[in-house]
Amino acid sequence: MARSLQTARVMLRSLLAVTVLTACAASPSDPSSTGGGGKADGREPTITFTGDFQTETTGSLLAGSPVRISYDLDRVTDCRSDAWGVGGYAQFDGGTPVPFSVSRLADGTTVPVDAELELPASASHVAIWFEVTDKYGCHAYDSNEGENYQFDID
């Protein structure tokens, strides 16, 4: 139990760090920008999580290559205070979850950003889930009813 709590704390700290870094790295003067920098320019495969709870994959997920994650912030409306954000986790082949951010603050408003993940060269599967948090400690999850979103990697 103590180990699980410690692991959860480490994951939460990682998510908060990713969210803060993403918010600082993106230009706050352009709230209409949906990119968070990097190579998320539309050429890599994309997994889209739509506002009506559908999941769409375009392109093939190839080990050793990037994948873009596009997330509609309207999927989860819990934990929406005056400062909130959405982060995700990718777990490759049952390993340690890798945190990433799909939102940032722009002029005090939470806006979506596409995340780019590098698929490990040896990976054959990825499980993805999302967490909404706010500055008051609220947590809500988008995890396919606790099953996480499952994708095979070629």
Side-chain angles (χ1 to χ4, degrees):
M1 178 76 167
R3 185 177 175 115
S4 295
L5 183 58
Q6 182 180 18
T7 301
R9 286 181 180 153
V10 168
M11 288 174 57
L12 180 58
R13 285 186 195 125
S14 297
L15 176 61
L16 291 174
V18 168
T19 301
V20 169
L21 289 173
T22 302
C24 292
S27 170
S29 62
D30 184 8
S32 66
S33 172
T34 58
K39 296 188 254 178
D41 59 8
R43 289 185 281 213
E44 59 272 317
T46 301
I47 303 172
T48 302
F49 295 86
T50 65
D52 61 354
F53 291 92
Q54 299 298 308
T55 303
E56 302 167 357
T57 304
T58 56
S60 296
L61 304 182
L62 302 174
S65 298
V67 61
R68 178 190 299 200
I69 307 295
S70 181
Y71 186 84
D72 188 324
L73 298 181
D74 290 332
R75 286 175 68 96
V76 178
T77 57
D78 297 334
C79 301
R80 300 264 179 120
S81 67
D82 54 340
W84 60 279
V86 181
Y89 296 95
Q91 185 177 38
F92 299 99
D93 297 323
T96 302
V98 176
F100 59 92
S101 184
V102 291
S103 70
R104 68 175 173 88
L105 289 176
D107 297 326
T109 302
T110 302
V111 296
V113 294
D114 286 348
E116 182 182 287
L117 298 175
E118 189 69 27
L119 302 174
S122 61
S124 62
H125 187 81
V126 62
I128 297 175
W129 67 96
F130 300 90
E131 180 179 22
V132 181
T133 59
D134 73 2
K135 71 179 187 178
Y136 300 106
C138 181
H139 298 269
Y141 295 91
D142 178 1
S143 62
N144 194 25
E145 306 287 332
E147 297 296 317
N148 300 329
Y149 299 95
Q150 309 289 330
F151 302 93
D152 290 324
I153 299 171
D154 294 330

